[in-house]
Amino acid sequence: MAYVDDYPDAAKVVRANFGVAFAALSIGGIFGLIQAVHRTGFFRGLINSTDYYTVLTGHGVLLALVFTTFFIAGLFTWGVTNSLERSLPNPRLTWSWFLVMLVGTILATVSILGGFVPELPLSADVLFTFYPPLQASPVFYVGAALLIVGSWIAGLDWFLAYWGWRKDNDGERIPLQTFMVLTTMIMWYVSTVGVAVEVVVFLIPWSLGLISEVDPLLTRTLFWYFGHPVVYFWLMPAYFVWYTILPKLAGGRLLSDTLARVVFVLFVILSTPVGFHHQYVDPGIPEGFKFIAMTNTMFLLLPSLLTAFTVVASMEHGARQRGGKGYLSWLWKLPWDNPAFSGCALAGIMFAAGGFSGMINAGMNINYLIHNTLWVPGHFHLTVGTAAALTFMAVSYWLVPQITGKRLQHRTLATVQPYVWFIGMTLMSNAMHRAGLAGVPRRTAEPEYNVVDATFPNVVGGMGEMQLQIVLGGTILFVALSMFMTVMIGTWLAERGRGTLSVNSHLPPALSGPESSPRVLDNLKLWAAIAIVLILIAYGPPLAGMLGDGIFAPGTPGFPV
Amino acid sequence: MEIHRFEKVWIAIALLLIVGFIATIAYGALGPGVKMVDASGGTIDPEAVAAGESGTAFDDPGVRQTGPNEYDVYVVARQFQFAPGTSQPIEVPAGSTVTFHITSPDVTHGFNIAGTNVNTMVIPGQVAELTVDFDETASYGIVCHEYCGGGHHTMEGTIEVVPQAEYDGPGGS
Amino acid sequence: MSEDAGPTVSRRGLLRGAAGTAIAAGGVAAVGTAAGQSGVDFDGWFSDVSNFDGVVDRRGQGEVTVEVGVEGNGDYWAFGPAAVRVDPGTTVVFEWTGEGSAHNVVAENDGYSSGDPVREAGTTFEHTFEETGISKYYCDPHLAVGMKGAIVVGDMGAGADAGGGSPGGISLSEGAWLLVGSLGLAVASPLLFAAFLRYRRGGGPSGPSEETREQLQRVDEVDQGPPRAEEAPVEKPETTIEHDEYDPSGTLSLVLGYLVLVVLLWVFMYFVEFLGRGPTVIG
């Protein structure tokens, strides 16, 4: 009996979400390859440099918003039903959030792609951050809003399932997976308020011509109120996998249920009052507020450092249960030939590197060194682009057989795929970090400038080598993505029920289980309240300052792109 | 609550690391005196800047001398030019203290003196104000590092830091 | 101004070269005939100008107006009309519309220029064209997005149609659009096919093969509905280690190694890379 037989309705929901996620991943991946060859100057014949920004918008929105949100919705639907051992309460509600998200995605995607056809009135070359006064067509903003509203309803669906379970299980601890889903969604509700206000109150009326001006600083501040927590919305599901599935894949058990819960509580509390660290070099924001955001951001390192220990220790436990010995030689006893395991483990290694460049990003004044340089995309291709994305691919190798009832196909391809991704990302992000240090900017179609001696002379190894590494890495990543899609499509098309599955769904309990962890950790209302208080402290005074001269002032009309 | 003693050690070390990072940043601000761009530049009406009727020095951007070896540089960053900077280089003498005032009449831009730590966002409605010491003769490129429209990748400029003896005052270029 | 314009234009030249390659892929015929039949060879000048629609004939007028800042190239980043034919000795008045940020008029080769970019509506700049030939000009801030124009002075090539094929900018983006679209479709097609197969399988009587069905009946008595999936057996650990007998010493050494690396890199980044390079913002 696999998940698909136990919960056929929920399995269908998970499959639908994964299907949309993988489609977005494919298109976004193609865009990524086009960018890699265009920006490095290897081949600029496919698009012109103005359309580069259309491609860049598509890449960012499809991968960072659509792929992640749909995959997470599928993963969490599985996690809630699996750990509560009950179906979602209302199928109609479930399909309605999926449809709302899907319609939003289609609207946003169509308006972005409209940028390729000048004859169409649709365009949204505003990039992932859509900073006003760059103005997209209203369709884009409505689509983005629907995607977020859909995710809110999905969260409600999971909460309803939890409340139903609570009625029947009074006094029991929240199962760990459900606990992680609920805390992630609390963080998501609190943080998406910013972007919802930005889009609904300001950008939609402004793009429709109902209001003539918006304040660029206020709207970008509202964006970053959401724009940093969103990275935890990508990361917490990856942690969900690392804490609850990876130990089992390694052959061991989670070291500590307590610390897992502590980590997620810390994310609820600290994820949002940090957005100003994306605005360290913005004018109009006093330095003191930037310092407060920096302190919060640095303490946000704590849950990730705790995770590093707990997750590695759980893997070590697995290796030792498999007969591993010695200080480090147990590493060889880990199942490196199981792509679900190796993908998660390699994602973790890359996250350790991305964590370091994140520490630099978080350091307030050192931000002058790398702000808006290629260092930044180098960083987030390690975090969302690998820690989250490669973990999602890896867990698909384990989960897709269970939600389809089909054996994983093309095992060899799957076994190699995480390593290919790892190599490609190593090349690309290494070059991006180093080029960024020399001052090469991000978000540009042609990083060749007349004024900077045609190259950036300080790049160790020279610009040529950087460009080569980026284009080579990008191509290898695209190959890895194609391998993943081949495995997924092959599995999807395979015949159901032929032979036994390659996986089992057994998840062993933690070594130190919930019975020994403080009950206060499950008090979700308390943590939400503390989060809101911290947000009021970090955001109240600066927002009051920005609103002091009027909600729409200093205002500017739109510049459609 | 069962927490392994190794893990307790690690929590302590992690907290120490975090405090160390914060201390480093504080040192950078207090010791070498690195200062963040802040609200000191004030706000401005972007449409007035666009029309050249803001009643400020942005109506006639350029270099102004404010004291011995002290200069104010007013820069308007617009799609897809720095004025001054693109059409003619910004020229200041070596050994001077220069305060840049930068704003945008249209969309959000970036202002990065390539290869240095001078790096700011240029946001319509806000004036970015940053003071920099130029000790040595050099020629720097200025790069717009925030996407500002289809021609973003062409937006660049130059700053010439010339020897004191060769500098013939603001507007002398 | 001219010192800077030189290198800038030459880089744009490279850009145009790249764009030209794309057109060659997209619509060779259109561009090839443009030069041959219209008689006016702009040498690719208008390949990325979206509002170029042939040469507008304004011969017989002593004064001709060209608007600066009409809709095109993704915003109000165009001259209207982009290409005009005038008699020798005609004065062309460039008149600013006030749209699309600040503009100027700079000759590609012929030396005239309106100076620094301005935005004020109603601003004018005049130039009298005496010599027969093509005089190309552009707006300096918006050259990259295709804000370019040309004055054709005299009758050269006037006999043929003024059109000159489809404007390059559009054919280019359509080509890119098609390429991207077909690539996307190519990747999505297996998904669509999978969806189709599933749909068909769900509708028709076909299910698992006889062989599978028998096998499943052996495994499970149920043969109603889709066949049940059987999971792999749960792995049995070689040895079982409980919480109190487990010291993650390997983990501790790994994370401490990471800590040392991070501290060293942090010190290098902060004190060498960051504080070691100037100038820095100090106020």
Side-chain angles (χ1 to χ4, degrees):
Chain A
M1 290 285 278
Y3 182 80
V4 63
D5 302 316
D6 294 333
Y7 306 103
D9 294 341
K12 204 182 224 172
V13 175
V14 180
R15 285 200 302 271
N17 277 288
F18 280 12
V20 179
F22 295 155
L25 180 65
S26 307
I27 303 171
I30 293 170
F31 283 178
L33 181 66
I34 295 172
Q35 281 162 244
V37 296
H38 187 97
R39 128 162 222 144
T40 52
F42 277 84
F43 182 62
R44 289 191 174 148
L46 201 55
I47 49 168
N48 63 36
S49 287
T50 303
D51 286 339
Y52 176 87
Y53 303 103
T54 311
V55 173
L56 185 52
T57 310
H59 181 71
V61 171
L62 284 174
L63 293 184
L65 272 186
V66 178
F67 163 62
T68 52
T69 306
F70 275 93
F71 191 90
I72 292 164
L75 182 69
F76 279 2
T77 298
W78 170 80
V80 166
T81 50
N82 187 56
S83 65
L84 296 180
E85 296 178 4
R86 62 200 291 145
S87 307
L88 293 179
N90 185 342
R92 198 175 284 171
L93 180 72
T94 304
W95 286 107
S96 71
W97 62 252
F98 174 75
L99 280 178
V100 170
M101 280 168 47
L102 185 64
V103 169
T105 298
I106 291 170
L107 291 180
T109 308
V110 165
S111 57
I112 294 169
L113 295 179
F116 289 119
V117 191
E119 290 82 357
L120 285 181
L122 285 175
S123 73
D125 299 348
V126 288
L127 306 195
F128 171 69
T129 46
F130 49 88
Y131 294 139
L134 293 173
Q135 195 179 54
S137 75
V139 179
F140 173 79
Y141 298 123
V142 171
L146 285 179
L147 180 57
I148 298 214
V149 168
S151 73
W152 287 350
I153 308 174
L156 175 69
D157 203 6
W158 301 324
F159 264 97
L160 287 173
Y162 163 67
W163 288 325
W165 173 88
R166 179 50 84 198
K167 260 195 213 123
D168 306 338
N169 297 274
D170 197 27
E172 274 194 49
R173 298 302 297 266
I174 308 174
L176 185 59
Q177 287 192 325
T178 301
F179 179 85
M180 290 175 161
V181 170
L182 299 184
T183 43
T184 305
M185 291 316 290
I186 289 175
M187 192 274 308
W188 184 242
Y189 283 125
V190 171
S191 65
T192 41
V193 167
V195 76
V197 169
E198 183 197 8
V199 170
V200 174
V201 176
F202 294 101
L203 302 189
I204 292 177
W206 177 63
S207 62
L208 289 170
L210 301 176
I211 55 176
S212 59
E213 297 191 334
V214 294
D215 176 352
L217 180 65
L218 175 64
T219 44
R220 67 188 264 121
T221 302
L222 288 172
F223 179 85
W224 285 119
Y225 173 99
F226 147 87
H228 197 73
V230 72
V231 313
Y232 294 104
F233 183 65
W234 307 326
L235 195 62
M236 286 159 81
Y239 281 13
F240 165 98
V241 173
W242 295 354
Y243 275 110
T244 65
I245 302 172
L246 180 58
K248 168 245 166 44
L249 296 172
R253 289 158 65 185
L254 173 62
L255 181 60
S256 166
D257 175 283
T258 312
L259 281 174
R261 285 177 205 252
V262 167
V263 162
F264 274 68
V265 164
L266 283 173
F267 278 128
V268 170
I269 295 175
L270 286 171
S271 285
T272 309
V274 296
F276 281 122
H277 77 232
H278 291 258
Q279 298 176 276
Y280 281 148
V281 304
D282 275 16
I285 301 167
E287 187 166 1
F289 299 138
K290 294 178 178 174
F291 194 86
I292 293 173
M294 196 254 312
T295 318
N296 288 343
T297 311
M298 288 297 185
F299 277 98
L300 207 36
L301 284 174
L302 186 64
S304 289
L305 291 169
L306 290 182
T307 299
F309 189 96
T310 310
V311 169
V312 176
S314 306
M315 294 201 297
E316 182 182 352
H317 180 256
R320 295 201 186 277
Q321 287 209 130
R322 290 162 70 96
K325 298 272 179 282
Y327 250 98
L328 293 175
S329 41
W330 53 268
L331 284 167
W332 301 112
K333 283 284 183 184
L334 290 169
W336 294 104
D337 57 342
N338 175 357
F341 170 82
S342 66
C344 289
L346 293 174
I349 294 172
M350 292 234 117
F351 188 61
F356 174 71
S357 58
M359 294 170 198
I360 300 296
N361 298 344
M364 184 175 68
N365 38 36
I366 197 176
N367 200 244
Y368 279 131
L369 182 67
I370 43 84
H371 177 78
N372 264 4
T373 68
L374 204 48
W375 169 285
V376 179
H379 161 75
F380 65 64
H381 278 88
L382 291 179
T383 53
V384 63
T386 301
L390 185 55
T391 299
F392 293 169
M393 291 190 244
V395 78
S396 300
Y397 293 137
W398 182 75
L399 199 50
V400 167
Q402 299 182 49
I403 58 166
T404 57
K406 296 169 181 180
R407 273 182 80 82
L408 192 70
Q409 304 294 308
H410 312 295
R411 281 285 313 226
T412 320
L413 266 188
T415 307
V416 178
Q417 189 266 346
Y419 296 93
V420 179
W421 187 275
F422 185 83
I423 293 167
M425 194 55 88
T426 304
L427 288 171
M428 191 174 87
S429 80
N430 166 52
M432 284 173 143
H433 277 101
R434 282 164 58 197
L437 264 188
V440 178
R442 65 188 283 200
R443 295 184 155 179
T444 173
E446 301 175 20
E448 308 103 44
Y449 292 87
N450 303 308
V451 294
V452 204
D453 293 330
T455 56
F456 290 82
N458 299 331
V459 181
V460 182
M463 254 326 248
E465 190 212 311
M466 294 306 109
Q467 306 284 48
L468 184 66
Q469 279 196 38
I470 290 173
V471 80
L472 201 63
T475 310
I476 294 173
L477 285 169
F478 185 74
V479 170
L481 177 57
S482 312
M483 293 165 77
F484 173 74
M485 288 309 294
T486 308
V487 175
M488 282 303 128
I489 293 168
T491 304
W492 219 290
L493 290 177
E495 200 170 334
R496 183 164 161 186
R498 193 182 261 283
T500 51
L501 298 182
S502 45
V503 296
N504 68 63
S505 60
H506 174 69
L507 294 175
L511 280 171
S512 162
E515 61 284 349
S516 58
S517 77
R519 295 199 82 89
V520 66
L521 287 172
D522 285 9
N523 190 341
L524 301 177
K525 283 183 193 135
L526 174 69
W527 307 124
I530 295 178
I532 290 168
V533 169
L534 279 181
I535 291 166
L536 289 177
I537 294 172
Y539 269 101
L543 278 178
M546 282 175 211
L547 293 172
D549 51 2
I551 297 173
F552 303 109
T556 165
F559 291 79
V561 285
Chain B
M1 187 153 54
E2 291 179 318
I3 295 184
H4 195 280
R5 64 181 192 286
F6 285 2
E7 194 133 23
K8 287 179 186 154
V9 171
W10 178 244
I11 293 174
I13 293 174
L15 284 169
L16 212 62
L17 182 75
I18 290 168
V19 173
F21 284 157
I22 298 174
T24 319
I25 306 296
Y27 163 77
L30 300 172
V34 183
K35 200 164 169 315
M36 300 314 293
V37 181
D38 61 13
S40 60
T43 59
I44 194 167
D45 177 9
E47 288 173 280
V49 177
E53 291 162 356
S54 66
T56 66
F58 289 112
D59 296 344
D60 180 25
V63 184
R64 284 165 177 63
Q65 186 155 14
T66 53
N69 286 327
E70 283 182 17
Y71 296 86
D72 271 353
V73 181
Y74 288 83
V75 181
V76 175
R78 65 162 66 95
Q79 289 172 326
F80 301 104
Q81 279 198 327
F82 295 104
T86 302
S87 297
Q88 75 270 22
I90 297 168
E91 217 175 74
V92 291
S96 60
T97 301
V98 177
T99 302
F100 290 93
H101 307 259
I102 314 163
T103 196
S104 161
D106 43 45
V107 302
T108 304
H109 297 280
F111 180 93
N112 181 19
I113 303 185
T116 78
N117 296 328
V118 182
N119 186 336
T120 186
M121 300 302 299
V122 183
I123 301 173
Q126 308 290 331
V127 178
E129 193 184 82
L130 25 140
T131 302
V132 181
D133 279 341
F134 287 105
D135 295 329
E136 282 157 36
T137 306
S139 173
Y140 296 108
I142 309 170
V143 172
C144 170
H145 62 47
E146 185 55 79
Y147 166 68
C148 57
H152 161 57
H153 45 276
T154 67
M155 186 163 168
E156 55 183 316
T158 322
I159 293 184
E160 300 286 351
V161 184
V162 300
Q164 278 279 359
E166 289 173 26
Y167 190 68
D168 43 7
S173 50
Chain C
M1 169 113 230
S2 54
E3 299 152 20
D4 273 322
T8 315
V9 170
S10 70
R11 185 157 81 93
R12 299 307 171 289
L14 284 175
L15 211 175
R16 278 200 295 278
T21 323
I23 297 161
V28 185
V31 176
T33 52
Q37 286 177 2
S38 79
V40 184
D41 181 5
F42 291 109
D43 199 17
W45 180 247
F46 286 114
S47 65
D48 58 345
V49 181
S50 80
N51 72 323
F52 173 67
D53 189 22
V55 182
V56 177
D57 198 342
R58 292 276 161 82
R59 281 176 295 182
Q61 301 177 15
E63 192 179 285
V64 169
T65 302
V66 172
E67 287 190 297
V68 180
V70 301
E71 197 162 4
N73 301 313
D75 200 313
Y76 287 84
W77 294 334
F79 294 104
V84 185
R85 183 189 297 282
V86 299
D87 289 322
T90 306
T91 298
V92 175
V93 181
F94 294 93
E95 191 173 331
W96 271 247
T97 63
E99 301 287 344
S101 192
H103 302 296
N104 62 359
V105 175
V106 182
E108 164 92 330
N109 298 313
D110 302 335
Y112 55 92
S113 164
S114 69
D116 280 342
V118 292
R119 176 167 150 171
E120 193 73 21
T123 307
T124 56
F125 163 70
E126 296 182 4
H127 184 75
T128 306
F129 292 87
E130 305 285 359
E131 307 245 329
T132 307
I134 301 171
S135 180
K136 298 171 186 170
Y137 60 89
Y138 59 87
C139 163
D140 198 17
H142 302 106
L143 175 59
V145 289
M147 185 160 175
K148 298 190 283 193
I151 308 292
V152 182
V153 187
D155 302 337
M156 57 178 291
D161 253 350
S166 64
I170 289 172
S171 85
L172 169 71
S173 49
E174 271 175 0
W177 168 238
L178 278 174
L179 268 165
V180 169
S182 50
L183 270 170
L185 210 63
V187 167
S189 60
L191 273 179
L192 293 175
F193 186 59
F196 167 71
L197 279 185
R198 283 191 47 74
Y199 171 76
R200 218 184 46 172
R201 201 174 289 166
S206 66
S209 66
E210 280 306 309
E211 190 192 346
T212 317
R213 217 182 274 275
E214 281 166 27
Q215 186 190 354
L216 277 159
Q217 262 173 343
R218 282 199 303 276
V219 174
D220 199 322
E221 290 306 315
V222 184
D223 63 350
Q224 300 283 310
R228 300 250 162 135
E230 199 192 346
E231 291 193 347
V234 175
E235 308 83 358
K236 287 272 175 291
E238 246 175 65
T239 45
T240 306
I241 306 173
E242 288 302 328
H243 186 268
D244 292 338
E245 56 198 6
Y246 171 49
D247 283 335
S249 48
T251 301
L252 188 66
S253 48
L254 281 177
V255 294
L256 287 179
Y258 176 66
L259 178 92
V260 171
L261 191 68
V262 160
V263 169
L264 288 177
L265 277 171
W266 171 266
V267 168
F268 173 76
M269 286 290 294
Y270 200 90
F271 293 95
V272 180
E273 287 281 348
F274 174 54
L275 291 181
R277 89 174 180 180
T280 293
V281 178
I282 51 158

